[in-house]
Amino acid sequence: MALVTISGYPSAGKSTRVAQIQAYLQQRLAADDYAGPKLSVEVLSDDVLNLERSVYNDSRSEKPARGALFTAMQRQMSTDKILIVDSLNYIKGFRYQMYCAAREMKLRVCTVHVVAAPDVCREWNANRKDGRTYSTETFENLIMRYEEPSSMVRWDSPLFSILWLDTEIPGEQIWDALTKGVVKPPNGASLSVAKAPTDALHTLEQTTAGIVSQLFSEASGSSSGGKVVIAVSEGVKVDVTLPPRNITLAELQRLKRQFVTIHKKAITLGSTEKGRMDWSEESIGSKFSTFLGEHL
């Protein structure tokens, strides 16, 4: 249904605001005048994943922690849930990843920027009694590296800012964004690409090797050229047009290597520049015969 990305300085009061947002959304969903689909409101946070504040001490521990948060977010996103991700989310590139993941699932999105002055955050961090305090060095480093959300970029929009002095949250605006906002369709940057089958490379190698072997046998000792019919497998045949000259095995093997190299990339990505690739023997045989006809 929707993804809410929370962002803010360390110890800026993000979890407090998340509790307010969750309570407001649950209240609206339970209201008598709500006629929409049945939804739950869930929170995903560093604390839920048992990620200590010390993971932000250096990049070696922060990167896998951020990966764990992203993986959990992907697993929990669904069309019957409003998911609130309560974390620093201070890197704009990471927020963009979250946006793309939500867009891929056709979810509505919004970003909530919990704003507090650095001095206020320092004081709150120093006075915490729950054992979730950031070290002074880590705190200052995170403040310095924080990349503030912007309503000018699509992955942070719509953006709602809540100041530390505010007693209320913009609940109505957040509700409208999550229930009435435009659901943007996936684009090329966020679409999942279907991977090639596990035996694609084997099929590619075997099919092209078989064609080369049969083609050399047909062409040996003849320089007349013309069309040759090659049986790729039972019931699958392809036509190869040979030039009026002698063709060597080395030449055929060189072209085979070129063709296989080109299509290995497609095996990894699941597509080619001209669209998705069909990895059946018939399709590979047809493409390889065309390739040979163009390059011989």
Side-chain angles (χ1 to χ4, degrees):
M1 172 64 176
L3 174 71
V4 181
T5 300
I6 305 297
S7 181
Y9 283 158
S11 297
K14 296 183 294 298
S15 296
T16 299
R17 296 304 188 180
V18 166
Q20 290 177 299
I21 294 170
Q22 184 181 29
Y24 180 87
L25 295 176
Q26 289 174 333
Q27 180 184 3
R28 291 296 302 264
L29 290 170
D32 293 336
D33 59 349
Y34 174 69
K38 184 177 180 180
L39 301 172
S40 63
V41 184
E42 298 186 17
V43 175
L44 175 65
S45 67
D46 292 351
D47 296 335
V48 169
L49 297 177
N50 295 316
L51 298 175
E52 300 292 337
R53 299 299 187 267
S54 58
V55 300
Y56 294 101
N57 290 351
D58 60 74
S59 59
R60 288 176 298 178
S61 58
E62 180 181 346
K63 188 173 182 180
R66 198 161 56 240
L69 178 68
F70 185 75
T71 300
M73 182 200 75
Q74 287 182 301
R75 187 167 56 247
Q76 293 188 33
M77 284 191 305
S78 70
T79 55
D80 62 352
K81 180 189 303 182
I82 297 175
L83 182 63
I84 305 173
V85 181
D86 175 17
S87 187
L88 291 171
N89 298 320
Y90 70 97
I91 301 173
K92 61 182 178 182
F94 184 61
R95 295 197 298 270
Y96 176 71
Q97 282 184 280
M98 298 169 68
Y99 165 82
C100 287
R103 188 167 175 177
E104 181 183 327
M105 292 192 64
K106 299 180 180 180
L107 304 182
R108 293 184 175 92
V109 298
C110 80
T111 302
V112 176
H113 183 199
V114 180
V115 182
D119 287 342
V120 173
C121 295
R122 288 188 187 94
E123 181 182 351
W124 287 351
N125 185 61
N127 293 333
R128 294 191 75 144
K129 306 298 183 182
D130 56 6
R132 297 169 182 168
T133 304
Y134 296 88
S135 70
T136 301
E137 183 180 357
T138 298
F139 179 89
E140 297 299 335
N141 190 29
L142 289 170
I143 291 287
M144 181 181 65
R145 292 192 291 141
Y146 185 77
E147 296 175 339
E148 186 173 319
S150 170
S151 60
M152 300 297 291
V153 297
R154 61 187 183 280
W155 57 88
D156 287 334
S157 299
L159 175 64
F160 305 100
S161 296
I162 307 176
L163 300 179
W164 77 98
L165 297 174
D166 293 342
T167 56
E168 303 292 333
I169 61 169
E172 185 69 28
Q173 293 94 316
I174 294 174
W175 170 260
D176 287 344
L178 300 181
T179 59
K180 303 176 185 178
V182 177
V183 179
K184 296 182 180 179
N187 58 15
S190 57
L191 277 174
S192 290
V193 179
K195 298 299 183 184
T198 55
D199 62 346
L201 182 58
H202 175 76
T203 304
L204 179 64
E205 289 281 2
Q206 292 296 313
T207 302
T208 53
I211 292 176
V212 165
S213 177
Q214 293 184 58
L215 192 58
F216 181 69
S217 297
E218 293 285 345
S220 294
S222 173
S223 59
S224 58
K227 184 176 293 186
V228 176
V229 178
I230 302 296
V232 177
S233 62
E234 185 177 353
V236 179
K237 297 180 179 181
V238 296
D239 298 334
V240 180
T241 303
L242 298 178
R245 62 177 177 83
N246 289 324
I247 296 175
T248 66
L249 180 59
E251 183 180 11
L252 291 173
Q253 289 177 333
R254 176 177 56 81
L255 291 173
K256 170 187 172 295
R257 286 194 299 271
Q258 290 179 3
F259 182 84
V260 170
T261 300
I262 291 170
H263 288 80
K264 275 185 177 179
K265 177 183 177 182
I267 290 175
T268 302
L269 299 179
S271 63
T272 63
E273 283 98 356
K274 296 182 180 180
R276 291 189 176 183
M277 177 77 175
D278 180 358
W279 296 103
S280 66
E281 290 182 333
E282 183 177 4
S283 176
I284 293 173
S286 176
K287 291 180 182 294
F288 187 44
S289 64
T290 302
F291 181 83
L292 290 173
E294 294 174 349
H295 291 81
L296 282 174

